[in-house]
Amino acid sequence: MQVYPDAIAFGGQLDAMRGYLSTIGALSFLLLLAFAYDAIVSTPSTFWALMSVLLCFISWTMMRIDFNGFRYTPVLLNRGAGKVHVFEEVGFDVLAFWKLWGGHKYVIHTYDWDCVRAEIAQVMVESGNGIRAETGLVFAITETPGSHLVKARFGVGTTSAYDGGRAMLGRWEHIRRFMRREAPLMQPGDKLFEDWGVTLWEALFSLQPLLGPGSGEYWKSGKWYIYLAGVWILPLLPYTMFAGLMRWLSYVLKVEPKWPDSILASIGGEALSREEIEQLTHVIPGPRKHVQAGKRRKSKGLSKETPHIE
């Protein structure tokens, strides 16, 4: 998600799942308002009026989930201090139903790198094509270095499928070497996570392959099935534009997570820009721009023992 002068931040599995609940909630809310009006005014019915109000509250809550909180909840690998920081969002108050957005509450858990043990876990993911097994990288935090008593577990990055866990092993190897100062921040071919639907114009046409930004590539592809899919989904333009709008609103109303000054100082300051990252990965040649960084602390010594894969 972010790269810092002396740290890397990974996002979670659900960080890109934005706009889905708000789309369903908003459409349901509009329909339920009409139903509630009918149950209260046109053909009065106490039972259906109460049911309508309850369902309206549920739909409103679905929108609030998409509009509250943070865009993502990262795990920060702090090489400068030999720590791992977990940014955890604290849930919003469900009873404050009048508040559509806001409520940015969070806690940060900090663990010693020497207490990290890596695990490759199998995760069952349900999709439109059924249930499939994927693998994910999990950090198990032990009570003390070398201990077998685990006090916390959390995922690092997204899961992968169809590779038997090789991608997760590669991610762990890069993290392990990075934290031991045996590897750079990023290597040629690495890139940041590219979110979609974060600009209004892109969001409005994000589900229409033959319209909007980037559609030229589909037109030039010459693939008949893309043309067929584009024509088939074209009549759904009002719905796809509405869904894209909800995703864009979710991105705008959610806030970017911020690390405290003490943590930023230990990792060399704010996150690197896209241009600086592209220079690190040898995409754009040229001198690196100056970065306003906080005072860097001297890195603590790391254990010579390599956390192992279980």
Side-chain angles (χ1 to χ4, degrees):
M1 282 296 194
Q2 297 282 0
V3 176
Y4 299 82
D6 210 12
I8 301 176
F10 285 89
Q13 183 71 10
L14 300 178
D15 289 334
M17 302 294 290
R18 190 185 310 110
Y20 299 98
L21 286 177
S22 56
T23 299
I24 298 173
L27 291 175
S28 301
F29 185 74
L30 294 175
L31 292 174
L32 288 167
L33 281 179
F35 188 73
Y37 175 82
D38 183 69
I40 297 173
V41 179
S42 300
T43 55
S45 171
T46 303
F47 174 77
W48 288 113
L50 292 176
M51 288 297 297
S52 299
V53 172
L54 175 62
L55 292 174
C56 281
F57 175 77
I58 295 174
S59 298
W60 185 261
T61 302
M62 292 173 68
M63 288 189 287
R64 290 188 62 224
I65 292 175
D66 257 351
F67 295 159
N68 274 259
F70 299 88
R71 292 173 184 168
Y72 58 95
T73 50
V75 173
L76 183 68
L77 304 170
N78 184 345
R79 183 170 65 178
K83 302 288 185 180
V84 178
H85 309 285
V86 181
F87 193 102
E88 181 182 353
E89 183 174 354
V90 179
F92 61 87
D93 186 2
V94 178
L95 297 180
F97 59 89
W98 61 88
K99 194 173 184 180
L100 186 56
W101 61 82
H104 309 127
K105 300 178 182 179
Y106 67 95
V107 293
I108 295 177
H109 305 283
T110 299
Y111 307 103
D112 291 329
W113 169 249
D114 293 342
C115 295
V116 170
R117 300 176 66 178
E119 300 175 349
I120 305 299
Q122 188 178 75
V123 181
M124 305 307 294
V125 178
E126 184 175 358
S127 65
N129 298 322
I131 300 177
R132 67 174 182 270
E134 297 188 1
T135 54
L137 175 62
V138 175
F139 277 5
I141 308 298
T142 60
E143 287 284 353
T144 57
S147 170
H148 292 280
L149 181 61
V150 175
K151 64 179 182 179
R153 276 188 173 90
F154 50 87
V156 181
T158 58
T159 61
S160 66
Y162 314 120
D163 65 354
R166 287 189 295 273
M168 298 299 100
L169 288 170
R171 180 183 300 164
W172 163 247
E173 179 62 13
H174 177 73
I175 291 173
R176 184 189 69 81
R177 296 181 65 237
F178 166 75
M179 293 296 288
R180 290 169 61 89
R181 299 189 178 276
E182 298 172 0
L185 285 166
M186 301 182 77
Q187 302 184 72
D190 291 347
K191 60 181 181 180
L192 289 184
F193 168 73
E194 295 286 346
D195 205 347
W196 59 275
V198 298
T199 63
L200 180 58
W201 190 247
E202 176 194 12
L204 292 177
F205 296 99
S206 57
L207 300 177
Q208 294 286 340
L210 302 183
L211 298 175
S215 60
E217 295 299 322
Y218 292 108
W219 282 105
K220 296 176 183 178
S221 67
K223 298 177 180 178
W224 64 269
Y225 54 85
I226 292 181
Y227 301 149
L228 181 62
V231 173
W232 178 83
I233 203 172
L234 190 58
L236 300 177
L237 181 61
Y239 174 77
T240 59
M241 292 185 72
F242 183 80
L245 177 63
M246 291 296 103
R247 181 177 178 85
W248 176 78
L249 282 174
S250 176
Y251 181 83
V252 171
L253 295 176
K254 285 178 176 284
V255 300
E256 189 84 7
K258 298 293 183 183
W259 299 103
D261 292 340
S262 58
I263 292 180
L264 288 177
S266 67
I267 59 179
E270 297 289 346
L272 302 182
S273 66
R274 295 273 177 172
E275 292 76 14
E276 290 172 315
I277 292 173
E278 288 172 344
Q279 290 175 22
L280 287 176
T281 54
H282 306 288
V283 176
I284 297 179
R288 177 174 170 179
K289 295 180 181 179
H290 176 68
V291 182
Q292 289 291 338
K295 184 178 178 181
R296 300 180 65 175
R297 293 192 307 186
K298 185 177 180 181
S299 174
K300 295 183 179 180
L302 301 180
S303 170
K304 293 184 179 179
E305 294 185 1
T306 300
H308 64 277
I309 298 287
E310 291 187 333

